[in-house]
Amino acid sequence: MKKLVALLLPLALVPAPDTRAETGSAAALAEAYEGLANTIIAVRETESALVKAILVAHHDAARAELDEARAAAPEARAEHLRAAATEITYLASEGDKRVQAVLQRLLKSGHHHHTDGYTNEDYMYVDSVEKKALLDLAGKVAKIEDPTAIPGIVDELDRLVTSTLEPE
Amino acid sequence: MALRGRLSGAAPAGAALVLFWPSASNGGPVPRLTDVTEAAGLSAAAWCGGADKDHILESVGCGAAFLDFDDDGFPDLYLVSGWALDESPSAVRERGRNALYRNLGDGTFVDVTESAGVGDDGWGCGVACADVNGDGRTDIYVTNFGPNRLFLNEGDGRFREASQEAGIADPGFGLGAAFFDADRDGDADLYVANYLEGTMEEVLTARRSTTWRRTASVMAGPFGMRGGRDRFFLNRGDGTFEDATVAAGMEDLAEAYGMGVIATDLDGDGWTDVYVANDSNPNFLYRNRGDGTFEEIGAWCGAGYSGEGKAQAGMGVDAADLDGDGLDEIVVTNFARDTCTLYRNLGEGFFEDVTGPWGLKEPTMAPLTWGAWLVDLDLDGRLDLVVANGHIYPQVDGFPELEESYSQSPLVLRNEGERFADVTAAALGTPLPRYPARGLATADFDSDGDPDLLFTRMDLPPVLLRNDAGEEAGRLTLRLRDARGAPALNARATVWAGGRRHVREVRAGASYMSQNDPDLHFGLGGRTGADSVTVRWADGTVTRHGALEGGRTHRVNAPDRAAAP
């Protein structure tokens, strides 16, 4: 990420276009814009990979908590189930609370990957239907009383995450 | 445990006049709400920036609190004010001062701000009141854009500012606040919702940069701005606090735009939980683990998002038992072109969105909603819903095609049994009054037994609406006091009358940055009294009482823990 910042910084120093600019200057500015476009595209691709990694991490964490819950004594089970539920809500919002704090600031730059933003656009991977399904699943997980229900929940979670990560 | 009946104060002139207007719904008569602001002597304006509202700070408005600071049995009123700004050039025109009005007991108030020493001139936002230092007197806490203030009640009509020494001069952009006893040690702990990060320079240089519905140029935010982090302060027992936000599990990592706060037992385990209405973010439900630490479960408990799975623009919040099962439902107010949301309590910390079935979608979709109280206006034994409304963008008035307006009518929604009916016109008369309202607080200011309403307004004095339902309907008022004589925080009274259960709780801070008088009002639906009363105090102790006569105020004192074996 530091490399990206270093790449972008010089672009902020590009002088404003001179209306009397000669053809040569215009070409240089176009070239700078070309560079900026490449950077923007690269940033988007980096962000996509980052968000995918976030989703995979929360999926893994949710599965781990569900596994622990299946093996745990009743007192500890509820704790693991609530932790799993929380991880699933992080899937629904494409990141934990720290990431949510970042996302709400990104709207200032027209970055609308936020289902709760003004535009109601979907997240990068999770659309509004998948988000609702994940939130419902989280609630279901937190309410589990019978541990034999857990394998079915894991299957449901896997199906949802697989479908979310599939290319549209 | 002492239990003694006590008649309420003398009825003010005019209180005997009961006006009932025909109902537009299928229920009985709707009590008329009469604007008595001027007659009551309330004139202090709540300044909220400049006319154009270029910065979001200028849109949040101010709260109000009913409290009985002199313990004479009549609810007094504290009104918060921000600052007045000029637009061109942008500059501070007036640093507004908060106002304390003493209730004279005859339906009028007198301004005692100067003698009481509570006219703080910080940019005020919200207020919550409780006995902070355990001396039995109600203190006042004000959330500011800038350091918050604590006014300790000296007991002689004067207050002393003590926020720094108490450790709760939080410097953020504070809005909602609530006192409650998180750890059952008998003192008042404090949760403060901070909205976002900002400076006065940013406020004064702000320019409108958002286009609202492809027409009006309006203020920016909150999206794009860094959210403020909420704070939790644990009372050491001597009226000083330590910041226990992280230790208690309440670290606001989401930096959500916190607004309304309510502290109440939402999972029925006897420990007080905290619910935070967040603007444009999922709402928080901090479930008390039973030891004064918390687990945030909003996202999966069913009360963090709407039933469609969307985070809404949470503003105000109230909670009360609407369906008689002893568990509190939650109502959250939201932005325009979205509904208020009602969450039914399913028990054990789970909720479901019942906005549609309860008839809230249609009446609450158009207005931009703020303060909200579930209150039994007609004393029929069912809790009604009153909502304060007003847009944040004054510019919408320039675009009639938007069908939105800066000033909006409040909503009066009567509970007709598992469904609300809009009786606003019957209650307020036509043409409907319209205000740029924000805060909403209730109290029986005229001591006639029914709850009256106070709305704060942007850049205007408040509006006090007198309710005249009380003279004919069965009703009962409980004044719950802790061992030191102060309102008993989070004491929860259950009244049984005619086989129906009615639950009310003493709270310090809710709605939108506001607070009700701590007296608990029960409509008995025509019954002449309560068959029995149970009180669960904040420390978990339960006291049971026999039948209580209706039509009066009963004081119930908490058991003295020190005297217990």
Side-chain angles (χ1 to χ4, degrees), chain B residues 121-138:
Chain B
D121 68 353
W123 187 308
C125 298
V127 57
C129 304
D131 175 15
V132 166
N133 56 354
D135 62 1
R137 297 187 284 264
T138 301

Side-chain angles (χ1 to χ4, degrees), chain B residues 264-334:
Chain B
T264 185
D265 177 14
L266 288 167
D267 57 1
D269 68 353
W271 290 79
T272 304
D273 312 298
V274 176
Y275 186 91
V276 185
N278 288 317
D279 187 1
S280 309
N281 278 276
N283 301 319
F284 297 152
L285 198 168
Y286 288 105
R287 185 181 190 179
N288 196 321
R289 295 177 184 270
D291 59 3
T293 69
F294 296 83
E295 177 185 22
E296 205 285 289
I297 63 171
W300 54 256
C301 77
Y305 292 88
S306 72
E308 290 81 36
K310 290 185 66 67
Q312 297 172 284
M315 309 287 189
V317 57
D318 194 21
D321 178 18
L322 281 174
D323 52 14
D325 65 358
L327 297 166
D328 282 0
E329 279 62 56
I330 302 171
V331 64
V332 181
T333 57
N334 293 306

Side-chain angles (χ1 to χ4, degrees), chain B residues 492-512:
Chain B
R492 195 171 170 86
T494 302
V495 166
W496 287 92
R500 286 177 64 183
R501 171 166 44 189
H502 311 271
V503 182
R504 310 279 186 275
E505 183 175 320
V506 179
R507 294 176 186 144
S511 178
Y512 179 64

